[in-house]
Each structure stands twice: as structure tokens, then as C-alpha cells.
Amino acid sequence: MKTTVSLGQRRTAVFALFFLPGLAMASWVTRTPDVRDLLGASTGRMGLVLFGLSVGSIVGILCSGPLVARWGARPLIAAGTLATAAGSGVIGLGAAAGADAVVALGLGLIGLGMGGGEVALNVEGAEVERLLGRSTLPAMHGFNSFGTVVGAVGGMALTAVSFPVLWHLAVVTVVVMAVLVPMIRCVPAGVGRRTDSGDGTPARASARPTVWREPRLLLLGGIIRALAMAEGTANDWLPLVMVSTAMASTPRSDRPCTRSSRPR
């Protein structure tokens, strides 16, 4: 029996689904120094590990448009959120095992899930906004930021009590999955999918926009790229810099005994 989903339920689902990537991302970021210590990684090695997130994000973003056009936003939202949840768990496993490649794989999954899933979420959010007849996307993006606040506060609290990274990120995986399962049912299929024309061939725009010749689009792209680089650099390196600076200013006898600071 097919269940009818109200527009209010659909809107709530999009808000909740925007919340999840922020929660997962902030949870990982707050544990970056602990992951580094568990890996015993140098700055160079940590850069290679973090590169997994960039690779996953680029692949997800580049693939998202064609996939949404072919299958619609709902499958990509589900797959992206699943990848984000799985990535959190894989990072925890890799950190506990001291395996750089496994942590990089987990970061790649998070980047893939967020890069592809959030594009599809914006497609769904724009459709909900159109149906509501009022501006809603800014508030949806705000819920993504709210997720980062919750993830950051929780991560700081668990770091303060030395809660294991593996179990922290495992809990995040469970929470993401527990929210995804009921919420994805409220997202209708087909939004964003390119429909077929009457003769059975895929409908195409009569004239594709000349993206590379549109100054406004190029300007927006440049601004977004600069902001993304700044945000990505801060997410990846600020926690490490802050912890390293604090450690450097702490007398050696008062420092916590991490793998990287233990006498050999």
C-alpha cells in the first residue's frame, strides 16, 4: 500500500538529511588529532591521508549531475548518506588499526557521499522550496551548519574524556543510519530526473547554456572554489595546528602520552 507523504513531512525530511553530513564531518574533524596520534603520522603522511577526502569529494561532485539526471535525487541522497555513514565507521576502524590507507578510504567515502549527496539534496530542497512558495533553502543549509555544531560539541566532549575514536565514530554511523532510514521514505522518487520525450528518447534542452562563456557563472564558480579551499584547509589542518601549538606550549612533564610523544 502506497503511503502519501505530506509536503510538511517532505520538508522535515530534507532538514534532517541536511543535518547528517554536518554531524558526520564535524565528528571526524574534532578527532583529527587523535587519529593522527593513533596512526603515528608525520605531517607529510597526514597530508596524504587527508587527500582521500579531496579525491572523494571531486568524484562525487563530478558524478552527481549525470546521476541525478538519470535516476533522480532520491537514490543519490540515499547512496551519499550511506557512504558518509560508512566512511565514519571506516575511519574509526583504520585509526584503531593504525592503517593510513583505511583512514584515507574512509575519508574518501565521506567526501564521495557529501560531494554527490549534497548536490542531490539541493535539487530536492529547491523543489520543496518551489512547492512551498517561499524561501526555504537557506534554513536547510542552516541545518547542515547545526549538524556541524552538534558534531563539534559532541566531539569536543568525548575528546575531553578520552572516549575511543573507534566507538565515537561507530556511534555517529549508527545515528546517521537511524535517521536516514525513516527520512528517505519521505523523499519522492523522480525529482531532478530527465524525463523522456514522446518518442521515447531522453528530452534535452534545446540549447545548452554556454557555461564557460557566462561571466556571472564563472565569477560565482571562482568565489565558491575559493571558499571551498579555505573551508577545506581549515577543516583538515586547524585542529592539528591548534593541538600541536597547545602541546608545544605545555611543559613536557605535563603533556599527555600519545604515540607521537612517547619516548622511544
Side-chain angles (χ1 to χ4, degrees), residues 199-234:
D199 58 2
T201 60
R204 298 180 180 273
S206 57
R208 288 181 177 274
T210 54
V211 175
W212 299 108
R213 298 180 183 178
E214 176 54 60
R216 288 175 298 179
L217 289 178
L218 293 176
L219 177 61
L220 285 172
I223 293 172
I224 292 171
R225 181 176 183 273
L227 292 173
M229 288 181 64
E231 180 185 12
T233 301

Side-chain angles (χ1 to χ4, degrees), residues 48 85 102 111 115 119 122 124 127 145 154 167 171 178 195 199 202 207-209 219 234-235 239-240 247 257 261:
L48 291 174
V102 177
V119 170
N122 276 281
E124 170 64 16
E127 177 66 10
S145 299
W167 293 111
V171 169
T195 57
D199 58 2
R208 288 181 177 274
L219 177 61
N235 285 341
L240 298 174
M247 291 287 288
C257 186
S261 63

Side-chain angles (χ1 to χ4, degrees), residues 227-254:
L227 292 173
M229 288 181 64
E231 180 185 12
T233 301
N235 285 341
D236 290 344
W237 293 108
L238 270 182
L240 298 174
V241 171
M242 292 172 67
V243 170
S244 297
T245 302
M247 291 287 288
S249 62
T250 303
R252 185 174 294 273
S253 60
D254 295 336

Side-chain angles (χ1 to χ4, degrees), residues 101-112:
V102 177
V103 174
L105 174 62
L107 287 171
L109 287 171
I110 287 182
L112 183 69

Side-chain angles (χ1 to χ4, degrees), residues 80-93 105-106 109-110 173 176-177:
T81 308
L82 281 172
T84 301
S88 298
V90 171
I91 291 171
L93 290 171
L105 174 62
L109 287 171
I110 287 182
T173 298
V176 172
M177 291 298 301

Side-chain angles (χ1 to χ4, degrees), residues 15-109:
F15 272 96
L17 292 167
F18 263 107
F19 175 88
L20 298 179
L23 174 69
M25 188 66 182
S27 299
W28 140 251
V29 168
T30 57
R31 304 313 296 263
T32 306
D34 290 327
V35 171
R36 180 209 43 200
D37 292 340
L38 288 168
L39 296 176
S42 64
T43 301
R45 278 177 56 197
M46 200 63 191
L48 291 174
V49 171
L50 293 171
F51 188 58
L53 183 63
S54 301
V55 172
S57 298
I58 291 171
V59 173
I61 291 170
L62 292 177
C63 294
S64 58
L67 290 175
V68 169
R70 181 173 179 82
W71 302 108
R74 179 181 175 179
L76 200 59
I77 293 171
T81 308
L82 281 172
T84 301
S88 298
V90 171
I91 291 171
L93 290 171
D100 295 19
V102 177
V103 174
L105 174 62
L107 287 171
L109 287 171

